[in-house]
Structure formats: structure tokens, C-alpha cells
């Protein structure tokens, strides 16, 4: 009897064990199928982007890499294999290459921090529901409609040394006129001023959107605790806004490294190469001198620089970004 | 009392900033209405003495701006619609679907944002040419129907959303497509409006690509129209700025509408629960 009972209980235990194992394997299988379905869904959602990027970004990129090892004729056809010559001559030019790098870095330093800080101050001051704020929001968003073409057309008239309004205003303040675009010391600053103005609308709109995304409870609690407008802005809002700020920083640095239109129209890289940024040099190489191979090589070097900068920002700064 | 003072100072500061930001645009519009003598006067006139419309008439006579405006409108609208669809799908995948290789694909996409346009523009020009898309809306729009910028922007907005909401819906057995359409998209309306307005304006402002692939007035966009003015041997500030004003006017109107849309979307998203 005893043994039969124990046998039975052992059997029962065995069945229970088997059932448990079965259940476990079923959950495992359903987990696996969820995972598989997630993998499928993820890539399905990405499919349209993959298609467009494949044809209009990755393929041309690969083709540019190919071209960078070739010498091309002015019609863009490959004439001879160049090996690393295009790259070697770029770095062999030493001082000229360093000058364009310096102009690019300075331009980024003049435009990115100023552009973000000004937009942040204006967005923090105008995001609340107060009288007249809608008018200010429209005013500060307005430069977003300006293109490099229209913006430069307006500013080239403002910058004019004798008839321009900027020097007229300086004259009213009894200051000496500045040769905005003709003075090598000023040209990059002038182009940067115009660029900060042109980018302000975009920066402002993105930050306003970010501020609006913060929940009302937080604004209410700020009002109750009343730490004062500046402490509340910097102690509470900035950490909450950090994903938006991080996004803006990355996009602005990339944009600054790729600026072309206003430089093409306002200074053409001069005077004395003071505004000859990397992109402008590439443009001249490819579309003025028709050296597509060497132009491609320079474009790829620029790409590598921007890529390294962006990765650096991700590794050092994203830890400080506060995601909810 | 002190709070009244600080409010006054704040408004004064904002007004000065607004004046500085708006000045170049006011300058363009007011000079567009000035006679050549007025715009060359010293000291310079801030405002025209009367509404002198000759500049606009002359500009419209010089280039077919109406046709250019229509072309720009079609091209910008198509690019905007396409990017909203592709970017919101991709951003959803990056924000909420745990698929294998996500980080690698994200960095791959992110790196496309850093590809300078000069790297791709020659091969793309050859592609579009070989497909017979020169001087066509297809050639003007299809290369721009996806952008990493939009994906990245929406991903950041999606990540700021309350995660519990999406997880709860998933636990209730909602598929990703339903969560995407029913929960995430409505909540993301402010971000979608931001992206939509931004993409539209950027497409409107495109310069080099339309210049390369359009050869006839029937498909030229408005920015090229402006550049055609600049190559004319002239001229009074007024004529050039009349052209600039005509090009700016539609985008200024869109911004007025778009900002309202933006605010409405935000209010809808803010009413939680």
C-alpha cells in the first residue's frame, strides 16, 4: 500500500512536473514567437526608409567612395585609377587644408552655442500662456521661412559697406563702419550673424515644442514652490528638456559643418579664404574645377569628421540626457 | 509692485528681441514698396512714403512667378506627406519595438544624416537622369521622401511619451500597428505638426537640386525664380526685394497657419486620460 501510494504520488509529481515543463516551454515558445514577430514588425516599419535610403543615400555614397579612388574627366567619367592620390594630395596641401578646417570649426563655434542659447532664452520666456505671447511666438519662429537664397539676398544689402543699414546703425551710435564681408577679420563673423538669425526660427520652434511636451503638473508645481524664474528654468526645465536640447545640438553641429548656400552667395569663400569652409572647398573642387574624384575624396573626409564628432557627442553627452 | 516691474522689463526685452529678429524681413517688405530714389536715399527711409507697386509688376513681368509658386507648392506638399509617413513608422520602430539589431540600424540611419549632400548629389543626378525624371515632379520629390532628421526628431518625441501607456496597450493584446495608429500618432500630433511644417518649408527653400534637374520654366521652383532675378544685370533694391517678398509670402502664411496647428495639436495632446 505504502509503496503503491508513494508510486502514485511520485507519478502525480511527475505529471505535475511534466505539465510545468510543458507550460514553461509553451511560454518560452510564445516569447520566442513574440520576439520573432517584433523583429519582423521592426523591420517592416523601417522598410520604406530602407528603400529610399538605399537608392538615394547608400548607393550614391558607395559610388562616391569608388570615385574618390579615380581620376575623372570633366564630364564625370572615370579616366584613370588614382589609388590614394586624391587623399594624399589633400593632406599634402597641409596649410590650406588646416585653414578650411579652422574656418569650419570657428563657424560652428560662432553659430551653434549662440543659436541654441538665444533660442532657449526666448522659448523659456515665451512658452507660457500669457498675453501677447502668441505674437512673440510667431515673431521668433519667423526666420524658419528664410532660405539661404532669400536670407542672403536680404543680408547682402544690409551688409553693404556704404549704403547698408548695419553701418548706418553703427553711424548713429558714432561707431566706425565695418567692412562686413570684405574684411578678413569680419567676414566669418558676418556670415555667422546671418546664419544665427536664419536658424533661430527652427531652434526656437523645436525648443517650444519640447517645452510644451513637459506636463502641466510640473509647471504648476513650479508656480507653487516658486523657486524664481531663473532657478526654475535651469534647475527643472533644462533636465526635462535635455532630449530636445541634445537633438538640437547634434543637428546644429551637423548643419554648421554642411553650410554652403549663404557662403556661396555672400563671400564665395573669401576674403583671403577666411570663409572657405570645407563644404565650399569641395564645391569648388567638384563643380568649378570638375575634379569629381578629388572632390569625392574631400567630401568623404568631411563625412568622417562629422561622424566622429557626432559619435563623440553621443558617448559623452547622452548619459546626461534625462529620458522620462 | 516688483512683479509688475519684472513683467514690464520682460515685455520690453522681448519686444527689443522681436524687433531685431523681424528687422531684416521688415526691411525686405518695406523696400519692396519703395521707388528706386527712395531706396537709395540717405539717410535711409525706414518705410515707403506710399505703396509703390511697380516693383511687383516688373518682377512678375520678368519671370513667371505664378507657375513657380504652383510648382513649389506641389513639390513641397508631396515631400511633406511622404516624410511624415516614412519617419513616423521608423521612429515608432526605434522607440517601441524591441527588434534585433536596433542600435546598429539606428546608428546606421543616424550616420546618413551626416552624409554631406555633395557626396550624394552627383550619383543622384546621374540616377534621376538615367530614369528620365529630369524636369518632372518625380525627380523633384522622390529622392526626398525619407529623412533621418524626421526619424530622429520623432523618436526623441516618442521617447518622452509615458511608457506605461504603450506597455499597457501591448499587455491588452494590441498589435504594434494598432498602438501606432490609435495611441502614438494622436499623442504625437504636436511633433508631427512641427515636422510637417519644417519639412514643407525646407522643401520650399531647396535650391541646388531643383537648379540641377530642371531646365524649363514649366517645372522650375520659386527659389530658382529668385536666383534668375539675381543674375539679371541691375538694379534697384526694390525690384530684388519685391521678388524676395513674393517668395516669402506663402511661407509666412503657412507659418501663421502651422503655428496655430501646432498649438492646437499640443492642447489636444496635453489633455491626458
Amino acid at each position: 500500500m505504502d509503496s503503491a501510494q508513494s508510486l502514485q504520488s511520485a507519478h502525480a509529481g511527475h505529471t505535475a512536473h511534466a505539465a510545468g515543463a510543458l507550460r514553461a516551454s509553451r511560454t518560452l515558445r510564445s516569447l520566442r514567437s513574440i520576439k520573432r514577430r517584433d523583429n519582423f514588425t521592426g523591420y517592416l516599419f523601417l522598410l520604406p526608409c530602407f528603400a529610399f535610403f538605399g537608392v538615394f543615400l547608400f548607393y550614391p555614397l558607395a559610388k562616391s567612395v569608388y570615385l574618390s579612388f579615380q581620376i575623372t574627366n570633366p564630364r564625370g567619367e572615370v579616366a584613370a585609377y588614382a589609388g590614394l592620390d586624391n587623399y594624399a594630395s589633400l593632406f599634402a596641401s597641409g596649410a590650406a587644408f588646416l585653414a578650411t578646417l579652422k574656418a569650419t570649426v570657428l563657424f560652428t563655434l560662432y553659430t551653434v552655442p549662440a543659436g541654441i542659447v538665444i533660442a532657449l532664452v526666448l522659448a523659456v520666456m515665451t512658452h507660457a500662456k500669457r498675453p501677447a505671447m502668441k505674437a512673440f511666438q510667431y515673431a521668433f519662429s519667423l526666420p524658419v521661412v528664410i532660405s539661404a537664397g532669400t536670407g542672403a539676398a536680404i543680408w547682402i544689402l544690409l551688409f553693404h559697406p556704404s549704403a547698408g543699414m548695419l553701418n548706418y546703425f553703427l553711424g548713429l551710435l558714432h561707431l566706425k563702419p565695418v567692412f562686413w564681408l570684405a574684411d578678413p577679420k569680419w567676414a566669418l563673423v558676418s556670415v555667422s550673424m546671418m546664419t544665427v538669425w536664419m536658424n533661430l526660427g527652427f531652434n526656437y520652434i523645436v525648443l517650444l515644442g519640447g517645452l510644451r511636451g513637459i506636463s502641466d503638473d510640473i509647471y504648476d508645481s513650479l508656480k507653487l514652490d516658486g523657486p524664481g524664474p531663473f532657478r526654475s528654468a535651469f534647475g527643472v526645465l533644462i533636465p526635462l528638456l535635455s532630449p530636445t536640447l541634445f537633438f538640437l545640438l547634434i543637428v546644429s553641429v551637423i548643419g554648421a559643418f554642411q553650410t554652403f548656400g549663404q557662403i556661396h552667395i555672400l563671400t564665395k569663400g573669401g576674403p583671403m579664404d577666411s570663409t572657405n569652409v570645407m563644404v565650399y572647398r569641395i564645391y569648388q573642387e567638384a563643380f568649378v574645377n570638375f575634379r569629381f574624384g578629388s572632390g569625392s575624396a574631400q567630401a568623404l573626409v568631411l563625412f568622417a569628421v562629422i561622424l566622429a564628432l557626432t559619435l563623440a557627442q553621443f558617448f559623452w553627452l547622452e548619459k546626461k540626457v534625462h529620458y522620462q | 509692485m516688483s512683479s509688475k516691474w519684472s513683467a514690464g522689463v520682460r515685455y520690453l526685452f522681448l519686444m527689443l528681441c522681436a524687433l531685431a529678429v523681424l528687422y531684416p524681413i521688415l526691411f525686405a517688405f518695406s523696400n519692396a514698396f519703395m521707388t528706386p530714389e527712395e531706396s537709395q536715399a540717405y539717410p535711409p527711409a525706414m518705410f515707403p512714403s506710399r505703396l509703390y507697386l511697380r516693383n511687383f509688376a516688373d518682377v512678375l513681368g520678368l519671370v513667371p512667378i505664378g507657375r513657380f509658386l504652383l510648382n513649389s507648392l506641389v513639390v513641397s506638399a508631396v515631400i511633406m506627406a511622404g516624410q511624415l509617413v516614412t519617419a513616423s513608422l521608423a521612429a515608432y520602430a526605434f522607440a517601441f519595438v524591441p527588434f534585433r539589431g536596433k542600435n546598429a540600424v539606428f546608428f546606421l540611419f543616424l550616420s546618413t544624416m551626416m552624409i554631406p549632400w555633395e557626396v550624394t548629389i552627383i550619383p543622384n543626378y546621374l540616377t534621376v537622369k538615367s530614369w528620365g525624371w529630369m524636369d518632372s515632379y518625380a525627380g523633384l520629390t522622390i529622392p526626398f521622401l525619407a529623412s533621418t532628421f524626421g526619424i530622429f526628431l520623432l523618436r526623441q518625441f516618442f521617447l518622452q511619451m509615458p511608457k506605461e501607456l504603450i506597455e499597457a496597450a501591448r499587455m491588452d493584446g494590441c498589435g504594434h500597428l494598432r498602438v501606432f495608429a490609435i495611441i502614438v500618432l494622436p499623442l504625437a500630433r504636436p511633433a508631427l505638426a512641427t515636422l510637417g511644417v519644417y519639412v514643407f518649408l525646407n522643401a520650399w527653400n531647396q535650391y541646388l537640386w531643383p537648379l540641377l534637374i530642371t531646365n524649363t520654366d514649366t517645372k522650375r521652383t520659386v527659389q530658382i525664380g529668385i536666383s534668375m532675378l539675381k543674375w539679371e544685370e541691375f538694379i534697384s533694391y526694390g525690384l530684388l526685394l519685391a521678388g524676395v517678398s513674393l517668395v516669402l509670402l506663402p511661407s509666412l502664411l503657412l507659418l501663421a497657419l502651422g503655428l496655430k496647428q501646432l498649438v492646437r495639436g499640443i492642447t489636444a495632446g496635453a489633455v491626458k486620460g
Side-chain angles (χ1 to χ4, degrees):
Chain A
M1 203 57 196
D2 258 17
S3 68
Q5 211 167 21
S6 77
L7 195 74
Q8 210 173 9
S9 77
H11 181 73
H14 185 72
T15 345
H17 182 73
L22 194 69
R23 213 176 303 130
S25 88
R26 203 176 291 152
T27 9
L28 200 70
R29 212 179 310 146
S30 76
L31 261 181
R32 247 189 233 139
S33 90
I34 284 176
K35 251 190 190 164
R36 211 176 310 134
R37 214 179 307 145
D38 275 346
N39 282 338
F40 178 73
T41 317
Y43 285 100
L44 191 70
F45 276 47
L46 292 176
L47 190 66
C49 285
F50 267 122
F52 287 113
F53 287 160
V55 177
F56 295 108
L57 279 172
F58 297 130
Y59 163 74
L61 181 65
K63 187 153 184 189
S64 284
V65 172
Y66 166 75
L67 281 176
S68 76
F69 296 111
Q70 314 292 334
I71 293 170
T72 55
N73 68 18
R75 263 173 298 165
E77 290 150 356
V78 172
Y81 178 70
L84 288 170
D85 287 0
N86 287 328
Y87 293 95
S89 66
L90 175 62
F91 292 111
S93 71
F97 177 70
L98 280 180
T100 57
L101 191 64
K102 187 182 153 203
T104 313
V105 170
L106 278 179
F107 179 77
T108 307
L109 290 176
Y110 290 162
T111 55
V112 174
I116 293 179
V117 168
I118 293 171
L120 181 64
V121 168
L122 293 177
V124 167
M125 286 181 79
T126 55
H127 75 92
K129 286 196 185 90
R130 283 203 205 95
M133 284 307 152
K134 269 194 183 160
F136 284 124
Q137 287 168 8
Y138 185 67
F140 297 138
S141 314
L142 229 151
V144 81
V145 305
I146 304 292
S147 66
T150 51
I154 296 171
W155 280 76
I156 205 164
L157 304 180
L158 295 176
F159 280 138
H160 193 284
S162 58
M165 294 304 284
L166 291 185
N167 277 345
Y168 173 73
F169 291 137
L170 285 184
L172 291 182
L173 299 171
H174 299 287
L175 294 170
K176 269 193 222 145
V178 170
F179 291 90
W180 298 101
L181 299 173
D183 185 341
K185 281 198 293 275
W186 276 96
L188 194 65
V189 177
S190 307
V191 177
S192 302
M193 274 166 53
M194 183 261 168
T195 306
V196 167
W197 174 74
M198 197 173 87
N199 292 342
L200 178 68
F202 170 70
N203 293 357
Y204 176 80
I205 288 178
V206 169
L207 287 172
L208 197 65
L211 282 167
R212 290 294 178 84
I214 297 170
S215 84
D216 289 343
D217 305 351
I218 288 166
Y219 292 120
D220 289 344
S221 74
L222 280 183
K223 255 176 238 153
L224 287 179
D225 301 347
F230 286 100
R231 278 181 50 204
S232 79
F234 289 98
V236 183
L237 292 184
I238 299 232
L240 287 174
L241 205 55
S242 55
T244 312
L245 280 169
F246 180 64
F247 162 77
L248 204 54
L249 178 71
I250 299 253
V251 171
S252 300
V253 169
I254 294 173
F257 267 76
Q258 295 188 3
T259 300
F260 171 76
Q262 56 268 49
I263 287 170
H264 180 54
I265 297 166
L266 290 175
T267 62
K268 300 214 181 300
M272 292 167 68
D273 280 346
S274 60
T275 60
N276 194 3
V277 294
M278 289 170 87
V279 171
Y280 194 74
R281 196 182 138 122
I282 293 165
Y283 162 80
Q284 282 179 310
E285 194 72 0
F287 297 101
V288 178
N289 302 331
F290 294 107
R291 287 198 285 260
F292 293 114
S294 145
S296 297
Q298 293 188 31
L300 289 167
V301 169
L302 175 61
F303 182 29
V305 171
I306 298 175
L307 191 64
L309 267 179
T310 307
L311 288 178
Q313 292 177 77
F314 257 91
F315 284 123
W316 284 323
L317 289 178
E318 205 183 16
K319 278 181 225 128
K320 296 189 180 128
V321 173
H322 171 93
Y323 291 109
Q324 263 178 325
Chain B
M1 196 62 197
S2 79
S3 80
K4 242 182 204 167
W5 264 104
S6 78
V9 169
R10 193 168 57 217
Y11 274 101
L12 191 68
F13 175 77
L14 286 175
M15 265 149 81
L16 286 175
C17 290
L19 193 67
V21 170
L22 293 182
Y23 177 72
I25 297 166
L26 290 176
F27 167 80
F29 276 93
S30 76
N31 270 266
F33 289 107
M34 285 184 192
T35 62
E37 295 77 48
E38 269 182 310
S39 58
Q40 277 160 20
Y42 196 90
M46 288 292 157
F47 296 101
S49 56
R50 66 196 171 89
L51 284 185
Y52 174 77
L53 296 172
R54 188 65 192 283
N55 293 323
F56 290 93
D58 286 352
V59 154
L60 288 170
L62 267 175
V63 285
I65 288 216
R67 180 78 213 182
F68 295 162
L69 285 169
L70 177 74
N71 288 339
S72 284
L73 197 71
V74 170
V75 168
S76 310
V78 170
I79 292 178
M80 177 184 77
Q83 282 204 20
L84 282 179
V85 172
T86 57
S88 57
L89 281 171
Y92 180 87
F94 284 128
F96 301 122
V97 184
F99 62 91
R100 196 184 300 182
K102 181 151 93 172
N103 284 337
V105 175
F106 184 64
F107 273 103
L108 180 74
F109 274 27
L110 205 66
S111 66
T112 67
M113 200 154 67
M114 289 157 270
I115 301 177
W117 52 263
E118 331 70 40
V119 174
T120 54
I121 206 151
I122 303 165
N124 278 344
Y125 173 79
L126 296 174
T127 305
V128 163
K129 200 173 179 182
S130 72
W131 289 353
W133 284 359
M134 300 291 282
D135 265 322
S136 74
Y137 287 140
L140 285 167
T141 55
I142 289 176
F144 304 100
L145 292 188
S147 86
T148 322
F149 171 84
I151 300 170
F152 190 20
L153 179 83
L154 291 183
R155 172 191 178 256
Q156 299 304 94
F157 270 101
F158 288 179
L159 286 173
Q160 286 181 352
M161 282 179 187
K163 243 189 224 128
E164 302 79 18
L165 201 64
I166 283 99
E167 273 162 14
R170 295 283 297 144
M171 294 300 245
D172 287 349
C174 265
H176 279 301
L177 209 58
R178 270 178 67 112
V179 176
F180 172 70
I182 292 171
I183 297 175
V184 172
L185 279 190
L187 273 177
R189 253 182 302 181
L192 292 173
T194 308
L195 182 63
V197 172
Y198 175 72
V199 170
F200 187 97
L201 292 172
N202 252 15
W204 185 271
N205 287 343
Q206 263 196 342
Y207 180 73
L208 191 68
W209 183 253
L211 184 70
L212 282 178
I213 76 151
T214 58
N215 299 316
T216 61
D217 282 353
T218 55
K219 288 295 182 293
R220 280 220 170 96
T221 60
V222 89
Q223 301 293 332
I224 313 303
I226 270 298
S227 78
M228 284 163 73
L229 275 184
K230 258 181 273 170
W231 310 135
E232 300 279 335
E233 270 306 314
F234 66 105
I235 72 183
S236 70
Y237 281 18
L239 195 57
L240 177 60
L241 290 174
V244 169
S245 305
L246 280 177
V247 174
L248 286 181
L249 206 58
S251 2
L252 288 175
L253 290 177
L254 174 83
L255 186 67
L257 295 174
L259 268 190
K260 219 189 271 172
Q261 177 91 20
L262 207 71
V263 174
R264 205 190 308 146
I266 290 159
T267 348
V271 183
K272 281 169 192 130

